[in-house]
Amino acid sequence: MTAMDIGLKTQELNLASLKQPSIHHLTQVQPHGVLLVLQEPELIIVQASCNTSTTFGIAPEEVLGKALDEVLDSFQVDRFKAGLTAENLDFINPTKVWVRRNGDDYSVFDAVFHRSADGFLVLELEPALTQENIPFLSFYHLAKASIHQLEATSSLQDFCQVIVREVRNVTGFDRVMLYKFDQDGHGEVVAEDKLAEMEPYLGLHYPESDIPQPARKMFLSNWIRVIPDAHAQPVPLLPATNPLTNQPTDLTLSILRSAYSCHLEYLHNMGVGASLTISLMKDQKLWGLIACHHRTPKQVPYELRKACEFLGQVIFSEISTREEAADHSYRIKLANVQSALIESMSQADHFVDGLVQRQPNLLDLTDATGAAICLSGRWTTIGTTPAEEELNYLVQWLAKTVDQDVFYTDSLPLIYSDAQRFKDVASGLLAIPISKRSYVLWFRPEVIQTVNWGGDPNHAYEVQQAGNDLKLCPRKSFERWKETVRLKSLPWKPVEIKATLELRKAIVNIVLRQAEELALLAQDLERSNAELKKFAYIASHDLQEPLNQVANYVQLLEMRYHDQLDQDATDFIDFAVGGVSLMQTLIDDVLAYSKVDLQGIEWELTEVETSLNRALGNLQGRINETEATVTIDAMPTIVADGTQLMQLFQNLIGNAIKFRRADVAPQIHVGVQRQEEAWLFSVRDNGIGIDPQFADRIFVIFQRLHTRDEYPGSGMGLAICKKIVECHRGQIWVESELGKGATFYFTIPVGGRDRHHGNGRKQNYLADRR
C-alpha cells in the first residue's frame, strides 16, 4: 500500500468519524451552567467545568478533590443526600440550591442529578429563573388544557398541528415543528406553528445526515435537549478525562453537554439562536421530534422543559393511538384476507392453487399489483410480474443476500441493479422464503414522486480542511429544493409485512403437513411396489411351468395322433400353441416391466456405444432378415444403467424394424446431441409413422394401435422404454406423421463425470453384417 493509499484511507476514516461522531464523549459544556462529576459516596469532585470562578468564586483547580459540602454548605447537601441513595433520581430533580459568593451576595440554581453510564454522579447547576418549583397543579392544568384541545380534533394532521401550537404557547418559541422520521431515516416536517414573518418549513424533507445515528441514539436516552444560546462559547471540563478511568466521562444524559460543533453551525445557518428538542418515542424507537427554534438566546426553566417532555409523551401516546386507529380497518381487512387464504390453502389439492385461484387471492394481502410463487423451481404468477427468467435471477439474488424471514424494499432497482429492466412492474418487492428454493414474492410498480427538501440533500454537508484536520460543515441554504424520485414504489406498511409473516407460518405448516403425508404415502407406495414386484416375479415364474406343460402336451398330442386328426383339429392345436407362446411373451414383458425401477438402477459410468452394440447384436437376425440399415453417431459416456440402456435401444430399434414400410428397407439412425443439462438421444426411422393424436397413448402399458395379426407384440415395449427413461430422470416423446416415419427422442441428464467418447465417425450396421 502506497503512502497516497494510506493517506486516502485515513481521510475516509476521518470522514466517517465526522459523520458519526462520538457525541457522548464530548467534554465541553454550555457556559450558562456548571457541571461537576462526583465520586460516591463521599461526593468528591473529580471533574469540574472551567466556569466555576464565575459561579462559586473558586477556580476549577481549587474545586477538584474537594467534597461537595465544602463547595456548597453542608445543610443543603444534607437535604438532598438522602434522595441520592435512591436508584431513580427524578424525585429530587430539580433541587433549589443557593450559592453564596461574596458576603450576602448569592445566586439560586436548579440542581439536577444523574448517574453516568460509567458509574459517576453528575451534578448540573443551571441558574434558576424562579426561586420556587412549579407546583403539580401547574403541570396538571397545562396537560389538561392541551389534551382538551386535542380531543376536539378529528384528523391526525389536525392533531399534530394542535401539538405544535400548544407547545409554542407554553414555551414562547418563535417556531415549533413536529418532525417525523421515515423508513429511510430521512425526516419530514408534518406540523408547524411559527411567527408569521418566518419562512415556512412545513412539508419539507431533511436528509438523514442532519440528525446522525449517534444523535438519534442519544435522543432515545435523553428525551429533552436544550441549547439556550447557540452562539455561546462552550467551556471545557477540567481535567478533560476522568482521572479515575483515564477515559472521558459519559455525558449521554447531561443537560449541559455542549452540542457537536457541526450541529451548532447548522443552527447558525438556519438563523437559530436557541433550541429545544423533545423526543417522541413509539415501541422503544424514535418516531420523531418536537423541535423548537428561537431567533435569539432563550432560557427555558427545567420544570417547563419537564412539563413539555411530559406533554410530549402524553399527547404522543394519543398520536400512536390515532395512527393505530387509522390502520384498524385495514388491519381487519387483511386479517380477513389472511384467514380466507389459509382456509383456501387447506381445502385446495395444492396449497398454491388456494393462493391464486380463489377470491380473495394473494394480491389482496398486501395491496400488490403482482405476485409470484416459486416452489422447487416452478413458478405460479398472478397479476403483473417480471418474466420468469427475471424471476429466476431475482430468487438467486435473494438466496445469496437475504437470510431473514421477510425481506421488503420500496426501491429494488437501487439495491438490485437488474431490477431496472422491470421497474415499471417491480420497483417494490416484498418476499418471504418458504425454503432455500421456494419463495412467495409481491410486487409494486414504480411511482414517480416529487419531494421537497430543505436544501439540496446531495450537498447536505461539505468537508473542509482545518489545519491538519478535516472539518464537517453543514449546508448554508435551506431553500426549498425539489427532487423527482424515481425507481421507487409506494412503501410497504408494517401491517402488510406482519400479515405476510403470518401467511409464511401457515404455508410452512401446510408444507410440513403435506411432507409428512407424502412421506407416509411414499412408505405405503414403496411397500406396495415391493409386494407388486414380488407378486409379478412369483406369478410369472409360477405361470411359466403350467404354460410349458400345456405347450408340451399339446405338441405331443399332435405328434402322437397326427394321422388321426383332421385339419380342424390340427388348426386348433396350432391356435393353442400360438396362444401359449403369446402368453409367455406377455409374462416375460410384465416381468421386465416390474424389474425397472429407480432403486434397481445400477448407476455407473457407461459407454453408450457398448449398450447400443449389445442391442444391435440381439437384433442382428431381424436386421439381416429385413435388410435394415442402422447408422449411429459417435456416442458419449454417461452415468446410467448399461443393461437398461441396452433394453431401451433394443425396444426402440426393434419397433423401427417392426413398423417398417413394405416398399423400402428400413433406414434407422441413432443420434445424440449435448444440451445444457442433458444428452438428447434420437432414434429416427422411415417406417409407417404414427398419427400425432396417439403420441402419448403409445407409451401406456398394453396400448396398441394395430391388431396382433398386423403387427405381433404385447404392447409393453414403449411402456418399458418410458419407465427406463423416467427412472433415469429423463423424458421420452415421439414426433411423427403417418407415412413419413417417426423419430423417438429421450433425454438422460448430464452427470458430473460424463464425457464425450468416440472418434466422431458414424458407424453403419447393414443387412449383410456378419
Side-chain angles (χ1 to χ4, degrees):
M1 183 179 289
T2 65
M4 180 177 292
D5 293 333
I6 295 174
L8 291 173
K9 191 70 174 178
T10 303
Q11 192 173 34
E12 290 175 3
L13 292 173
N14 290 339
L15 182 58
S17 64
L18 289 174
K19 292 180 181 179
Q20 306 289 337
S22 300
I23 298 175
H24 61 291
H25 283 158
L26 295 178
T27 57
Q28 293 182 316
V29 300
Q30 300 180 74
H32 68 281
V34 174
L35 187 145
L36 303 175
V37 180
L38 308 174
Q39 182 184 14
E40 296 183 282
E42 295 85 2
L43 303 184
I44 303 299
I45 301 172
V46 296
Q47 286 179 282
S49 57
C50 289
N51 57 349
T52 56
S53 299
T54 58
T55 304
F56 302 140
I58 307 174
E61 295 84 355
E62 298 178 13
V63 171
L64 297 177
K66 291 182 179 292
L68 185 60
D69 56 9
E70 295 181 59
V71 178
L72 305 176
D73 63 77
S74 57
F75 172 76
Q76 294 189 90
V77 174
D78 289 340
R79 277 196 307 123
F80 54 69
K81 252 188 176 181
L84 293 177
T85 60
E87 189 172 333
N88 188 351
L89 301 179
D90 288 342
F91 296 111
I92 63 170
N93 289 332
T95 297
K96 297 296 182 185
V97 172
W98 285 261
V99 177
R100 189 181 301 277
R101 295 189 59 194
N102 297 312
D104 293 334
D105 184 19
Y106 67 89
S107 300
V108 182
F109 291 85
D110 284 328
V112 179
F113 295 91
H114 76 268
R115 287 190 175 87
S116 65
D118 40 11
F120 291 90
L121 183 67
V122 179
L123 168 60
E124 299 178 275
L125 299 169
E126 290 185 279
L129 302 183
T130 61
Q131 294 192 9
E132 300 293 335
N133 288 342
I134 296 179
F136 169 77
L137 280 177
S138 298
F139 279 100
Y140 171 75
H141 290 303
L142 175 65
K144 182 179 179 181
S146 300
I147 293 172
H148 178 72
Q149 290 285 329
L150 296 171
E151 289 176 345
T153 64
S154 56
S155 72
L156 189 61
Q157 179 60 44
D158 292 342
F159 191 93
C160 294
Q161 194 60 41
V162 168
I163 292 174
V164 295
R165 186 174 68 241
E166 288 301 305
V167 171
R168 182 165 175 252
N169 288 339
V170 170
T171 61
F173 275 82
D174 294 338
R175 184 200 306 269
V176 177
M177 298 171 288
L178 188 65
Y179 186 86
K180 179 182 179 182
F181 296 110
D182 60 24
Q183 292 180 344
D184 294 333
H186 305 313
E188 179 187 3
V189 178
V190 297
E192 179 185 48
D193 194 72
K194 64 178 182 61
L195 294 176
E197 65 269 19
M198 297 180 75
E199 179 185 359
Y201 290 161
L202 181 64
L204 295 185
H205 291 69
Y206 292 83
E208 182 182 15
S209 58
D210 282 9
I211 306 177
Q213 286 302 321
R216 299 188 192 204
K217 290 180 180 178
M218 295 198 68
F219 281 129
L220 289 172
S221 304
N222 200 349
W223 289 1
I224 193 158
R225 177 83 177 125
V226 63
I227 302 177
D229 187 353
H231 294 274
Q233 290 300 314
V235 295
L237 285 180
L238 186 72
T241 58
N242 192 312
L244 300 179
T245 64
N246 293 321
Q247 298 290 330
T249 299
D250 191 315
L251 297 180
T252 298
L253 300 178
S254 170
I255 56 178
L256 289 178
R257 176 185 50 78
S258 180
Y260 184 47
S261 58
C262 183
H263 178 64
L264 291 174
E265 189 175 351
Y266 182 90
L267 294 178
H268 299 163
N269 293 346
M270 292 187 79
V272 176
S275 71
L276 174 68
T277 308
I278 304 167
S279 303
L280 299 178
M281 312 291 294
K282 183 179 182 182
D283 298 330
Q284 307 302 314
K285 295 180 181 178
L286 190 63
W287 180 92
L289 301 169
I290 295 176
C292 308
H293 289 173
H294 209 67
R295 290 177 291 185
T296 58
K298 181 178 179 62
Q299 295 279 351
V300 183
Y302 179 84
E303 293 96 333
L304 185 57
R305 299 200 304 264
K306 279 297 182 181
C308 290
E309 178 186 333
F310 171 75
L311 186 62
Q313 298 310 314
V314 169
I315 60 183
F316 182 65
S317 65
E318 184 65 21
I319 286 185
S320 300
T321 301
R322 294 206 177 192
E323 274 192 333
E324 292 173 3
D327 285 340
H328 180 69
S329 60
Y330 189 48
R331 284 202 308 273
I332 294 298
K333 174 191 171 185
L334 293 190
N336 291 334
V337 171
Q338 181 181 318
S339 299
L341 288 176
I342 293 174
E343 184 178 357
S344 297
M345 284 193 298
S346 63
Q347 294 177 352
D349 293 336
H350 194 283
F351 78 88
V352 173
D353 296 337
L355 292 174
V356 299
Q357 293 183 358
R358 302 186 184 183
Q359 292 295 334
N361 59 43
L362 206 55
L363 300 179
D364 300 308
L365 190 65
T366 60
D367 194 24
T369 55
I373 304 170
C374 177
L375 197 62
S376 300
R378 300 185 64 179
W379 287 98
T380 302
T381 61
I382 183 173
T384 306
T385 68
E388 187 169 317
E389 182 180 5
E390 298 286 8
L391 291 175
N392 286 328
Y393 289 132
L394 177 58
V395 163
Q396 291 175 14
W397 176 79
L398 285 171
K400 293 177 182 178
T401 57
V402 177
D403 58 357
Q404 302 165 338
D405 289 344
V406 63
F407 170 81
Y408 59 93
T409 177
D410 60 0
S411 52
L412 181 61
L414 300 182
I415 56 177
Y416 175 62
S417 58
D418 288 353
Q420 294 190 32
R421 294 194 294 265
F422 48 84
K423 59 184 176 62
D424 295 339
V425 173
S427 285
L429 170 67
L430 175 56
I432 53 173
I434 306 304
S435 66
K436 289 184 178 180
R437 297 183 57 202
S438 301
Y439 286 82
V440 180
L441 313 177
W442 289 267
F443 304 103
R444 281 179 179 170
E446 177 187 38
V447 177
I448 300 176
Q449 306 173 58
T450 298
V451 177
N452 294 317
W453 293 91
D456 184 354
N458 301 310
H459 299 90
Y461 57 85
E462 60 182 20
V463 179
Q464 297 179 355
Q465 194 77 33
N468 294 327
D469 298 323
L470 295 175
K471 180 184 178 184
L472 196 65
C473 300
R475 62 191 181 281
K476 293 181 171 60
S477 173
F478 294 87
E479 292 184 3
R480 186 182 300 265
W481 192 90
K482 290 188 176 183
E483 179 190 23
T484 300
V485 179
R486 301 180 183 275
L487 304 179
K488 293 191 73 172
S489 71
L490 294 178
W492 305 98
K493 295 180 180 180
V495 64
E496 294 168 340
I497 297 167
K498 184 178 179 181
T500 60
L501 282 170
E502 293 298 322
L503 181 68
R504 179 182 181 273
K505 292 179 184 177
I507 292 176
V508 169
N509 288 336
I510 289 174
V511 170
L512 288 175
R513 189 180 72 240
Q514 290 181 345
E516 291 176 357
E517 293 173 353
L518 285 174
L520 293 174
L521 186 60
Q523 291 178 4
D524 293 341
L525 196 57
E526 185 178 353
R527 185 167 55 251
S528 297
N529 283 340
E531 293 172 353
L532 188 60
K533 284 173 58 180
K534 185 177 181 181
F535 169 78
Y537 181 79
I538 292 174
S540 60
H541 182 272
D542 291 349
L543 285 174
Q544 290 282 4
E545 185 61 28
L547 282 176
N548 287 334
Q549 289 183 6
V550 170
N552 290 337
Y553 279 111
V554 169
Q555 290 172 341
L556 183 60
L557 184 66
E558 182 184 22
M559 292 171 55
R560 181 170 296 181
Y561 301 102
H562 178 71
D563 296 336
Q564 302 176 32
L565 298 176
D566 59 13
Q567 186 60 42
D568 287 343
T570 302
D571 290 342
F572 294 157
I573 290 175
D574 290 341
F575 291 151
V577 172
V580 168
S581 176
L582 177 58
M583 188 66 177
Q584 287 176 327
T585 302
L586 283 171
I587 290 172
D588 290 339
D589 287 344
V590 169
L591 183 60
Y593 186 83
S594 68
K595 287 181 178 180
V596 178
D597 61 32
L598 190 59
Q599 293 181 348
I601 290 183
E602 295 183 4
W603 298 99
E604 59 184 355
L605 206 59
T606 301
E607 292 184 357
V608 177
E609 183 177 332
T610 301
S611 297
L612 187 51
N613 285 338
R614 288 172 58 195
L616 291 170
N618 295 337
L619 295 170
Q620 191 61 51
R622 295 170 64 186
I623 292 175
N624 292 338
E625 179 185 340
T626 58
E627 299 183 348
T629 301
V630 182
T631 58
I632 302 172
D633 284 348
M635 290 290 135
T637 299
I638 64 175
V639 177
D641 185 310
T643 301
Q644 291 194 8
L645 205 58
M646 180 271 295
Q647 181 72 52
L648 175 61
F649 280 118
Q650 182 172 319
N651 287 3
L652 292 176
I653 297 172
N655 272 3
I657 295 172
K658 180 193 299 186
F659 296 102
R660 64 188 180 276
R661 286 161 52 188
D663 55 337
V664 292
Q667 298 287 331
I668 303 166
H669 178 71
V670 182
V672 65
Q673 290 181 2
R674 172 67 182 264
Q675 296 185 323
E676 185 176 352
E677 297 182 353
W679 291 102
L680 175 64
F681 295 91
S682 61
V683 177
R684 186 180 71 245
D685 65 52
N686 62 341
I688 62 174
I690 302 168
D691 190 329
Q693 66 175 316
F694 301 123
D696 293 328
R697 177 181 166 186
I698 59 176
F699 293 103
V700 179
I701 190 170
F702 296 131
Q703 292 295 313
R704 298 172 52 87
L705 303 183
H706 308 276
T707 66
R708 289 192 176 89
D709 292 337
E710 294 178 288
Y711 297 97
S714 64
M716 293 283 293
L718 289 178
I720 293 174
C721 291
K722 184 173 186 290
K723 195 171 183 183
I724 291 174
V725 171
E726 288 179 347
C727 285
H728 281 76
R729 300 184 180 91
Q731 294 178 304
I732 186 170
W733 67 97
V734 64
E735 294 179 2
S736 177
E737 290 184 32
L738 281 174
K740 296 184 179 180
T743 302
F744 284 84
Y745 295 94
F746 65 91
T747 59
I748 302 292
V750 173
R753 298 181 296 170
D754 290 359
R755 64 181 185 273
H756 201 69
H757 182 75
N759 55 15
R761 60 183 173 83
K762 289 187 178 181
Q763 302 178 24
N764 293 295
Y765 290 81
L766 303 177
D768 60 351
R769 179 180 173 188
R770 298 292 184 262

